[in-house]
Structures are given as structure tokens and as C-alpha cells.
Amino acid sequence: MVQLTRGVVAAGLNLLAYSSGVMAEGSAKPIVADGTIFALNGDNVSYRIHVDNTTGDLLGDHFGGSVGANIPLETVGEVNGWDGHIGRVRREFPDQGRGDFRVPAISIRQSEGYTVSEFHYKSHKIIPGKPALTGLPSTFGTEEDVSTLVISMYDKYSDVAADLSYSIFPKHDAIVRSVNVTNHGKQNITIESLASLSVDLPYQDLDMIGLRGDWAREAYRERRRVAYGVQSFGSSSGYSSHQHNPFLALAEPSATESHGEVWGFSLVYTGSFSVNVEKGSQGFTRALLGFNPGQLSWTLPPGETLSSPECVSVYSKDGLGGMSRSLHRLYRNHLIKSKFATSDRPTLLNSWEGLVFDYNQSTIYELAKEAAEVGAKLFVLDDGWFGKEYPRLSDDAALGDWIPNPDRFPEGLEPLVKSITDLKVANTSKNLRFGLWFEPEMVSPNSTLYHEHPDWALHAGDYPRTERRNQLVLNLALPEVQDFIIKAVSDVLKSADISYVKWDNNRGIHEMPSPSTSHAYMLGLYRVFDELTAQFPDVLWEGCASGGGRFDPGVLQYFPQIWTSDNTDAVDRISIQLGTSLAYPPSAMGAHLSEVPNQQTGRTVPVAFRGHVAMMGGSFGLELNPAEMPEEEKEAVPELVALAEKVNPIILTGDMWRLNLPEDSNWPAVLFIAEDGQKAALFVFQVAPNINHSWPRIRLQGLDAKASYKIDEGVVYSGATLMNIGLQFAFKGDYGSQVVLLEKQ
């Protein structure tokens, strides 16, 4: 029998503690629960909560390193002032209107208009494995990988239930939470806000870290001290956005890449979102991630349920790097469903930067021949291939009309695709593959689709339909729009041997008929993704949204790779890719070697430097016309392709160690170690010249200290030597780079 013993406060020591035989030290059970206390146990993490026997509230006790059976609970001081007991404890599912003045996890407007809720513990159950979320992307695993605890809360005054689902992946120190809210009452209610996860951490100083940016400068780290009050960020663009990513880290102020406690939170959602971090008057830090309340107002009729997206949380005692590696492993193995999650990412050449809209059937074929000659395995035809009555000759027409342009392709795509896939890749026996660009969520006012169905475009009554890039957004909340997109894309994919799709999205959502349209759109989008990827499992799908505008776990459920940024400048890309890697595995990043001067920055960087940066992504490619390259650069490309293909298996399945960050060092460096530890690839860069000065040593991490490693098939060093002394590299001038291969002996 488990007892929750109420103690007394003596000499400042809280004697309130758990007493439990079933939670004895060293218990290997992932979930222990008895209706009063609940424990989720990973290899290196414990998450502990309990029910307050007096109030029925669910309170948090610990989220951090592994703990034993008995733990001291929070001391609640003398209650004075406006902040009562409920505002002085660490609540697991804080509701609104009863005296907790911090940000709530849920806000419900009843049919009568009031917004008070009172959720108390009702029951719980433990489920082996992990059920999928209906209509939403979610992590997955077998009963050996994951266990799930569902705690049912109930508001007896409104007859509203909230089921809190906690899934523990012990090997990844990851806890995944989502919430199902069900209306058991007789009147409609409106969910105004809902957080997928809410956690209160104890009184201590913390930093918060997010990823901010804009088009062409995504995923820059923003680190700041958590101050008293609310600090927040999010997206209101309809999508996860360039401006802020649905990711949050909380860290000890002294935490670095390799040392210190860090908590990471990642929302599995592609729509508008909200992150709130509040240090309340008692010093606790509350973190909430979920829907953007400005784009929810979800009407819930009697008997219906609203499911929140799920939020992944991980704990690391090994700094930000440890947090990232936990997320990377979890997402590679338990989020990305594609057969290509950890294998078969062909080097590709995309036509966009080489030709833009200026091409015909013969120029496309010639570019594909150039791609095969330099060793690319996949040729991708980007924007401009479609449109009949309104041909896509620039970006002002044809979106929605997914029919090959008869002027450019008189016989359709099939003859062109066959001629390209008959090409042999240089120095191999493989045929070139073919891929195609789509932007199916958009419509051009100059299109047959828009003229036939203007009501399919998102709009708010008589307000102007604001265009961006000469296009509008289709309303994927409508089933008929979903059906149209599924059929239009399917028809094209069935028409020819197309083995890759780049799914683009080049604007945010402006006018919506109601706030709830935002989430309804996402549910429609996920249905489209789910049906198409299930129908075409042998197609390699890549997500894109003007670059990294939708680099989020929701997209990764269906697409194993995402175009990281439209900015292909190699120097900028180091920061963008390493920032993105804070939450997302490098295996998911699309990264290409492009022409110089770079189209975004005007910077000229050596071809080797550009190639080395690009091959740190899981999908290495070329964004140029080889025929227009200087001869010496063109001659270097096959060797870079061969090196990229050698390191690619390590990038796809291995662990990433950020050794030097570009914001901290002139010598950014990254180490990738294969899953089995037998091979590794070290990337070292010099950005600015280093004149008349010694060079630093790059100390490696994550190796076996007792093992020996051969460096580039040459000198052998011990792991201890490589980690404690390191390797030194000398570069001439700016933009120097080197890739070093290590093999365990």
C-alpha cells in the first residue's frame, strides 16, 4: 500500500514525503502508479507527480535525474496575500479562474459565458506501448519501446473531462504528453486555449533557449535568463514559421554543449503555436507549449473531443548536446515513418537555381545529363512545369493547375521522365532518378482552379484576399479541397516514374474565416500527408516552406527530410544547420552546394567549403548548373559527391557532437559518430583568416577513451588522446575546411 504522508515544517525542512514499497530504489518499471502517486522512469530520468488528497489537484514533484523511492516534497510557506495555496504549488494541469494567477494550461468558455474550470483527479490507467493520436502526427513504438500512463481529470461542475496522456521512452529519457478534452455536458463549450504540456520546475535560476529568425536566416539560437513574469514566443502565421520554431530548452545558467542540466521541449505540430515560460511570484518556472490561443476558439459540442498535439520533453545531464542527441534518436526511430528515415538518400541536383523558370524540355534534359555526369543520383525538376490555360512562366500563375505545360512538354511528363531515368550515372551502373516540385496548398488567382472554385481560397467575408508571391492559400479545412489535392498529386505521380517529391509552401495564412480554421486546416493537411505518403511509400518526400518555414516534428512524421533554408550560403548555413540541430536530427536536413556568388548573400566561398557544409545534412545535393561552373570547380564536384556518399550513412544514423559553435569560434567543428561507434566523420571550418598565429586544437567528444582510431587511413591515436589533446588544423586564408574520417581499430 502506498501512503502519502502529510508532514510538518520543522526548522525549514519539509517532512512531507512519499513512502512506497513498489517504488523501491532501482525499480526498472517504466511506470509506477497507484492512484495517489505516479512515477515515470527512464534510464537517466524520473518524472514524479502526485494527487493532493485534500484538493484532488494533480501536483508535480520532480522532472530530472533519476531519484529513489522517497522524495521530499515542496515546502508551502505561510499563505498570505492574494496568492492562495493553489498559486503556491507546482500544478500539472493548471486550470483557470480559481486563484492560480499564472498562465493556465487550459481555458474553457462555458455556454453561460464564464471561464472557470475545476479539474480533479478521477482515475488512471497504464497502457503497454503507445496509442496513436487521431488525426494528428505522433511518436510511436512497440511495448518494448514505450509505455503510456493516462490520468483522467474531471470537472464535475461542467461535466468536462481531460485525459492527460504521458508516454515514457526509457532509452531516450523522453516523456511525451498530450491532452484529450471531452465535453460530457449538454451544451457547447469553447476551448480558448490548451497546452499540450505544462510543467512547473522548482525554484532555481534558469535560462530559456529558442530558435528565432526569418526567411533565409532560420534557426538562430536565442538564449536569455528566465525573469519573473511571462516570457513567450510562438507563431501566428498559420504554420510553425521561420520566425520561431516550436521548440524550447530550459537550462541551468552554467549549462554548455557538454555540461549541465537541460530540459528540452518539442511540439509535434505544424500550425500556429504558443510557448509561455513564466517565473511566478513564488519562484517556480512554468513552461507551457501548445495551441496559439489567438487561433483556437474551438467549439466542442456534447460528446465530442479535442485532442492537443503532443509535446516531447527530454532531460539531459550532459548539456545541450545530450538533449539534442536524445531528440535526434527519438525522432529518427520513433517519429519519422518513412522507409527512408535512415537510408537511401541519393545525391540530387535541383533545377531551381540553375534555370529558375527559363527552360524547355530539351534544356531540362541537358541539365539532367550534366547532373548524371557529375555523379548525382537524382534529378529534380523544380517550379514551372505545369499550367495549361495559365502556364507557369513566372510566379504569377498556374498554382492549382497540376497539368504539365503543353508548350514545354507537348507529350506530357512521361517521355521526358523516361529519357532522364534512362541516363546512367557516371562511374556507376545506376540509372538517374527523377523528382518533381509541387506547391499543392496554394492557388494562383490566374488559374483555372481559382476561376472554378474561388470559394476554396481562404478568405474572411468581404475583406480583401491578400496575396503574397501572387498566390492565395487553399482552405484545407474543407474536405473537398483535401480530396482535390490528393487526386491532383496522385494523378501526376502515377503518370511517370517519379521517385521524389519536393512539397513547397511559399506564404503564411492571412485571412481566416474563424480562429478555429487554423487547427481545422492542420487536420486537413495531415490527412492529405497521411493518404499520399501511404499511397506512395516508395516516393522520397521532402518538405519545404520557403526554406525552413515548416521545419517541425509534425512534418517529419510524413516527410523524412525538410529543406533547411533558401539561404544556401555556406557560411550562413553552418549557423542555420547547427541551430536546427538543437532540436532536429541532421538526417532530416536538406543541404545543397550552390553556385557563387551566392544568390542570397553575394558571397563567394570555395567549392570544397560549400560541399563540406552541405554534406553535414542527410540530403546532400547540388543547386546549380554544372555547365556554367568554372572548370576547376566542376572537376571537384564528383570527388565531393563521393565523399558525401561515404559520410552519409553516419549522418543518417549517428550521433552529432557540436564541438565549436560558429557564434563562439572562428573554427566551427562538428563530429558525427556512427551508431555502432566504429566510424566517425569530423568537419572543421575556418571562417576568417588566421595570420601569424597558432591554431587551436579541436578536442573530440563521444569516443571510446580506451579504443584506438585510425585517422584518414593513416595515423592511429587513442580515443583518450583525441578527446584530451585533440587535432590541429592549419588553413590558408578565409573559408578553409576539412573533413576527417575516423575508424575504430
Side-chain angles (χ1 to χ4, degrees), residues 395-604:
D395 67 3
D396 64 356
L399 288 174
D401 298 346
W402 301 106
I403 300 169
N405 180 338
D407 292 331
R408 286 179 165 170
F409 309 107
E411 300 174 89
L413 287 177
E414 200 278 333
L416 170 69
V417 174
K418 186 177 187 312
S419 66
I420 289 176
T421 55
D422 282 344
L423 292 170
K424 295 292 183 183
V425 178
N427 302 315
T428 74
S429 59
K430 296 181 178 179
N431 286 32
L432 192 63
R433 304 188 208 179
F434 182 86
L436 203 57
W437 177 96
F438 287 89
E439 194 174 358
E441 298 163 66
M442 302 294 157
V443 63
S444 302
N446 292 325
S447 68
T448 302
L449 179 67
Y450 187 75
H451 286 287
E452 292 178 352
H453 298 285
D455 55 311
W456 283 8
L458 277 170
H459 64 283
D462 294 331
Y463 283 92
R465 302 184 180 196
T466 308
E467 295 180 27
R468 286 288 298 128
R469 207 188 174 200
N470 304 307
Q471 61 195 54
L472 299 170
V473 184
L474 290 172
N475 186 358
L476 269 79
L478 301 175
E480 56 267 35
V481 173
Q482 301 164 26
D483 293 340
F484 167 79
I485 293 174
I486 292 169
K487 184 178 187 306
V489 175
S490 298
D491 287 348
V492 175
L493 295 184
K494 291 175 182 176
S495 72
D497 184 11
I498 299 166
S499 58
Y500 163 100
V501 167
K502 179 179 178 180
W503 186 292
D504 209 345
N505 178 304
N506 280 304
R507 61 158 289 176
I509 296 175
H510 293 181
E511 294 85 21
M512 284 187 288
S514 70
S516 62
T517 302
S518 179
H519 182 53
Y521 181 107
M522 279 302 119
L523 295 175
L525 178 65
Y526 290 140
R527 182 208 159 200
V528 169
F529 284 174
D530 189 58
E531 292 204 15
L532 283 173
T533 54
Q535 187 177 353
F536 299 97
D538 296 326
V539 170
L540 174 58
W541 299 80
E542 176 173 292
C544 178
S546 294
R550 293 201 310 202
F551 208 123
D552 62 67
V555 171
L556 286 181
Q557 173 94 103
Y558 311 98
F559 300 168
Q561 62 189 51
I562 299 173
W563 181 231
T564 317
S565 177
D566 281 349
N567 185 348
T568 57
D569 177 273
V571 177
D572 284 356
R573 264 304 189 107
I574 297 175
S575 294
I576 292 170
Q577 290 173 206
L578 265 61
T580 303
S581 76
L582 207 58
Y584 305 104
S587 63
M589 297 183 205
H592 296 174
L593 188 166
S594 63
E595 65 182 7
V596 290
N598 183 265
Q599 289 189 5
Q600 287 77 35
T601 67
R603 182 161 30 205
T604 297

Side-chain angles (χ1 to χ4, degrees), residues 106 167 173 219 234 284 308 339 395 421 461 514 542 547 582 604 617 707 738:
I106 186 169
S167 297
D173 295 326
F284 299 143
S308 79
K339 62 183 282 188
D395 67 3
T421 55
S514 70
E542 176 173 292
L582 207 58
T604 297
Q738 190 166 339

